[in-house]
Amino acid sequence: METAALIVVLVIALALFFDFTNGFHDTANAMATPIATGALKPKTAVLLAAVLNLVGAFLSTEVSKTISGGIIREDAIIDAGADLFLSLIFAGLIGAITWNMLTWLLGLPSSSSHALFGGLIGATLVGAGIGGIDFGMVLSKIVLPALIAPVTAGLIAFAATKIAYSVTRRYDGKPDGRDGFRWGQIFTSSLVALAHGTNDAQKTMGVITLAMITIGWQSGAHHEPELWVIIACAFTIALGTYLGGWRIIRTLGKGLTDVKPAQGFAAESSTAATILASSALGFALSTTQVASGSVIGSGLGRRGSTVRWRTAGRIGIGWLLTLPAAGGVGALAALLVVWLGNWGVAIDAVIAVLIILGLFMRSRRNAVTPANAMSDVAESGRAIELPDTPPPTRRQQRIEQAKAEARARAEAREKAKSQAKAQARKEAEKKAEKKAEKKAKASAGASKPAVSTKKADADRNGDSE
């Protein structure tokens, strides 16, 4: 019993550390877009996200029940010994934390949720076999939501972006005409942070509750987390949100710099709505997948943007790798437990500490801070190719066509006037020529009689002589 109690303490400590990594791993889901568009300063954004993660963790416990009394069949494992079950939970957490730390070091926005599920499933399969997993629950509460939620969020973001641009189309062609959405992003990003707290903090609550039920510190009749568990997980994820996350923010943030405030507003609204609805239904979603799906959907909703499907495919492959990769590490940790018993737990603990310290020290070589967090382009941003100048809308096309027709009519009138003036000048010149000819003829006719008169006078003078 003393050994089991010690393992429970280790499980709680490791679960809270996972909660901490979850916080700084998923900060970017809520705050990368408002930071990139200038709606919030980096430190202000992470502080706001931390506070709202803290508040959100107290709003619901449905996801916690899914973890503590859903995917793993405790009865089938506890029959083999409570120590073994606790050791398997410990091994699963090692798999989740290892994947979280590795992807954090690489700046990859992977799913902390799927890392946790993968680690627990991998460890359980090794220690208890297939009978220890409730695959029906895994399919309905984890796999299907993982497939449906990003698509749903993307469709909502697509529609919201279309509506946003339709309502504000009078600002087409004005670079700063939609800056009001930048202020709206503060509200929507806050909703995402709140939703993240309601969903992700509960996963750690579920793990701790599962461990306490196993050792008998909590009744198995209900899977509600104890108040101290809720408080501990809420503060831990909030602390992780505030202290870490700059690597992921760098990855996502620069990818979203091409996303305009109207798109960011639509994407964050879609992400928040999807996560909050899923938390109420007890679905353990990946907030990273939902946020990425919303980004792509909002990008498609903007005129002229196209999807780089190869890049989007790489994002999907990263999602698919998370669960089996974390499951593989969890399974290896569970093997040591099965082979060596409590010594395996001790070796796992030492290995976990070495992995955490090693990855952390490696990250210090190229530290990422608020000052340099916004550099490279994100995968989710690369999936959307946005033109510098979007093509004209139908309304703009009609306006341009009307202007072109008006210009053509004006040019035709000017041409007709110039032709009329030229014709008038020609007629005036002809009249002037005719008048000159008549005048010349008249003057010529007037000179001939004068000559004949002189002749007659001369003849008369000759006769008189």
Side-chain angles (χ1 to χ4, degrees):
M1 185 65 181
E2 293 180 359
T3 302
L6 179 60
I7 296 176
V8 168
V9 173
L10 290 175
V11 167
I12 292 173
L14 202 61
L16 289 176
F17 184 78
F18 169 79
D19 203 30
F20 179 81
T21 65
N22 193 353
F24 68 66
H25 209 283
D26 289 356
T27 306
N29 294 337
M31 293 302 168
T33 306
I35 290 173
T37 58
L40 288 171
K41 293 182 179 180
K43 289 187 177 180
T44 304
V46 295
L47 177 60
L48 180 62
V51 172
L52 291 170
N53 266 326
L54 177 65
V55 174
F58 290 93
L59 298 182
S60 173
T61 58
E62 292 301 319
V63 176
S64 173
K65 296 175 187 176
T66 298
I67 303 298
S68 61
I71 63 175
I72 296 176
R73 291 181 174 140
E74 310 96 277
D75 297 338
I77 306 175
I78 292 176
D79 290 341
D83 289 355
L84 175 62
F85 188 28
L86 292 172
S87 300
L88 294 180
I89 296 175
F90 186 78
L93 285 171
I94 290 176
I97 290 173
T98 301
W99 182 254
N100 262 8
M101 291 293 292
L102 179 62
T103 51
W104 166 75
L105 177 65
L106 299 175
L108 299 176
S110 67
S111 169
S112 299
S113 305
H114 287 179
L116 176 61
F117 302 145
L120 291 175
I121 291 172
T124 303
L125 287 175
V126 169
I130 297 178
I133 304 295
D134 186 345
F135 285 100
M137 184 67 72
V138 170
L139 181 64
S140 62
K141 293 288 187 177
I142 297 174
V143 177
L144 289 179
L147 298 175
I148 296 172
V151 176
T152 303
L155 292 174
I156 295 172
F158 175 83
T161 304
K162 285 288 188 184
I163 293 171
Y165 274 92
S166 175
V167 171
T168 60
R169 62 186 179 183
R170 63 183 180 280
Y171 293 116
D172 288 339
K174 298 178 182 179
D176 300 324
R178 294 185 173 90
D179 271 0
F181 284 108
R182 188 172 282 116
W183 294 100
Q185 280 187 283
I186 298 175
F187 173 73
T188 53
S189 61
S190 298
L191 277 182
V192 174
L194 186 72
H196 180 262
T198 63
N199 199 280
D200 282 48
Q202 293 182 57
K203 295 160 189 172
T204 307
M205 297 177 200
V207 171
I208 295 175
T209 301
L210 182 60
M212 293 177 64
I213 291 174
T214 301
I215 198 174
W217 291 359
Q218 181 174 330
S219 172
H222 66 90
H223 292 271
E224 290 278 349
E226 299 286 344
L227 179 61
W228 72 267
V229 175
I230 297 175
I231 294 174
C233 292
F235 275 95
T236 304
I237 197 171
L239 183 64
T241 301
Y242 181 69
L243 293 180
W246 295 113
R247 289 177 179 273
I248 311 295
I249 288 176
R250 178 177 68 177
T251 299
L252 282 178
K254 284 302 286 187
L256 300 178
T257 51
D258 286 338
V259 174
K260 303 303 180 184
Q263 293 172 255
F265 178 85
E268 290 155 9
S269 300
S270 171
T271 300
T274 303
I275 296 173
L276 288 172
S278 299
S279 298
L281 296 173
F283 295 145
L285 287 182
S286 164
T287 53
T288 302
Q289 290 184 2
V290 175
S292 297
S294 297
V295 168
I296 293 175
S298 68
L300 290 175
R302 186 185 179 205
R303 298 185 311 278
S305 61
T306 56
V307 176
R308 297 186 179 104
W309 291 112
R310 181 176 297 178
T311 303
R314 287 200 299 269
I315 297 173
I317 291 172
W319 293 349
L320 294 175
L321 285 178
T322 297
L323 195 145
V329 177
L332 291 175
L335 278 176
L336 291 177
V337 172
V338 173
W339 291 342
L340 303 176
N342 292 334
W343 282 105
V345 175
I347 294 173
D348 281 343
V350 173
I351 292 174
V353 171
L354 291 176
I355 290 174
I356 292 169
L357 290 177
L359 292 175
F360 178 77
M361 295 304 295
R362 176 64 180 82
S363 70
R364 295 299 89 193
R365 296 183 185 179
N366 55 341
V368 180
T369 65
N372 65 353
M374 310 299 288
S375 57
D376 297 333
V377 177
E379 290 299 309
S380 56
R382 286 176 179 167
I384 299 297
E385 185 176 5
L386 301 174
D388 294 334
T389 304
T393 62
R394 293 179 180 177
R395 177 174 174 270
Q396 289 175 318
Q397 290 175 350
R398 290 195 300 269
I399 292 173
E400 289 299 323
Q401 184 177 0
K403 288 181 179 179
E405 292 175 353
R407 284 195 298 270
R409 288 194 297 269
E411 290 174 359
R413 286 195 297 268
E414 290 296 328
K415 187 175 181 180
K417 286 181 181 179
S418 61
Q419 289 177 348
K421 289 180 180 179
Q423 185 67 26
R425 281 197 301 270
K426 287 181 180 180
E427 290 178 356
E429 289 174 358
K430 287 181 180 180
K431 288 181 180 180
E433 289 177 359
K434 288 180 180 180
K435 189 174 181 180
E437 289 177 358
K438 288 180 180 180
K439 189 175 181 180
K441 289 180 180 179
S443 57
S447 62
K448 286 180 180 180
V451 173
S452 59
T453 303
K454 289 179 180 179
K455 204 173 190 180
D457 291 341
D459 291 339
R460 282 197 298 271
N461 291 332
D463 291 339
S464 62
E465 289 178 358

